[in-house]
Amino acid sequence: MPIGTIINPTPPLVGGNFDATSQVGYGAGSGYLFSSGNVKPEVSSKMTWLLDQFYAADIFERVGRSEPISNTIWSWPEMGLLRQGTTVTDVTGTGGSTTSRVLTTTVPVGTPYFFAKMTVITDYNIPLNIDSVSNAGTYQELTVYLQDTTNDTWTLALGIAGAGAGLSIGLGHLATSDAEYQTGVDPRASYPLFRQNRLNLIKDGYALSREAAKVKTYTPDGTGWYYQLDIQMMKRMKSDRDFALMFHKWDGQTVTGKETGNGIWQFLKSGGTNSIVDGAIQEDDIQDMITRLMRTSSASEFLVFAGSDAMTDVNRALRPYAVQMMANATIFKDDKMAGIPFSRYQFAGKTLTFVHLPMFDNSAALPYTGTYTGTATSGKVNYRSMLMFLNMGSDDMGNKLLCMKHLQDSNMLLGSINGTIDITGKPVTESSASNLDGATKFGLMHVAPEVRNLAAHGLMYRQDA
């Protein structure tokens, strides 16, 4: 393909380069398209084709889901969890409807302010009053009374008249209440109080020999040039950034010599709204997922990353619809998605933008390509057959439920070390930084996701029936 055709596509692509607004610029007076040092923010439309746009991080940048932070480790409050339920495993106590029962929960001892003097309700739809909370054993124990001692019984409330063990009775929180002229209401909190993450440090570079420095690729108008080594380094770093953004894992401990944080998939595999589908994904499966996600968030737009098999399933399942004509997208407007193939679907007032993510098909990075085996939270995953539902809404405090974070003032840093030549290929006439017969180029970036309200996002795995 002629280089002019690639550099000046029709229609022109918008944004999405690596990030063109903050990482790509011109070297001082040399026409070199990749500066060294802290790159001056400068838009270069010529670079769009060089740094193709089929990366998750590029899409997050396009739709305003990328923000700087000042520290490599950060935390965020998990807001909006106004109700927390539990399960009753044991019941102790005897007597009639006016006597108390002690319920053993699955809330670990030492979890402060999970329960207080409040009204709870069981699976059997009978409200109870909590009189006190004990932290004496392994799990919190609640002393409770029936609210309606005239018409309700313990058998109606718990399914048993007296004591029992090995139970599994759901217990939900209705309201926090107390009598008048008491000492005050115990403090309440939502759990988890906060989550944390750590920025991944991505590095790459190349060595430029004296001969390689003579091989330059020029733009059609002759105003700029670059090395193919530049493009390869940038693409490797972009690919590394995406895989770290998705799959890196961090246990909360500071490991010397290793800077990794949790990826989106790591957050969602245990905390997301996840499901397994037998056979090809159908429209009903997508609608069921939307319904489940509706219970966790009122957001109206979702970004859905898909592997190739899952994307094929989606387009087959939604073939009766003019999916590209769904215009009710405010975050994923067409100008922000220019150059990226996508499909849209709308159900129950929710708009889903499906995007094929090539990284899910990369068997060199994600080697398993067999049938999904396991549960909704663990197992062998064929990412070609997976859908990742990402909620583009906000919590009740206006915080984005998903945002890519990067280190302030160093979304990407480029640098070089001169040997006998500098990075533009010119001979070094003064002192060199190394004895290399050439020069070296390097780059680094920090990136990690912030994922709030994990249940507002989800994963759908396809397994062959």
Side-chain angles (χ1 to χ4, degrees), residues 151-164:
N151 299 299
D152 292 337
T153 67
W154 288 114
T155 301
L156 291 175
L158 302 174
I160 55 175

Side-chain angles (χ1 to χ4, degrees), residues 47 63 80 163 172 179 228 239 259 309 348 373 375 390 416 435 446 457:
M47 303 312 300
V63 298
Q228 284 297 327
S239 180
E259 293 188 27
D309 291 344
T373 58
T375 67
L390 302 177
S416 63
N435 60 0
H446 290 83
H457 315 268

Side-chain angles (χ1 to χ4, degrees), residues 393-413:
S394 303
D395 64 16
D396 53 8
M397 299 298 291
N399 300 300
K400 297 180 180 71
L401 295 181
L402 175 69
C403 191
M404 181 178 71
K405 300 291 187 177
H406 58 83
L407 197 60
Q408 190 169 8
D409 298 327
S410 62
N411 193 353
M412 179 178 177
L413 292 177

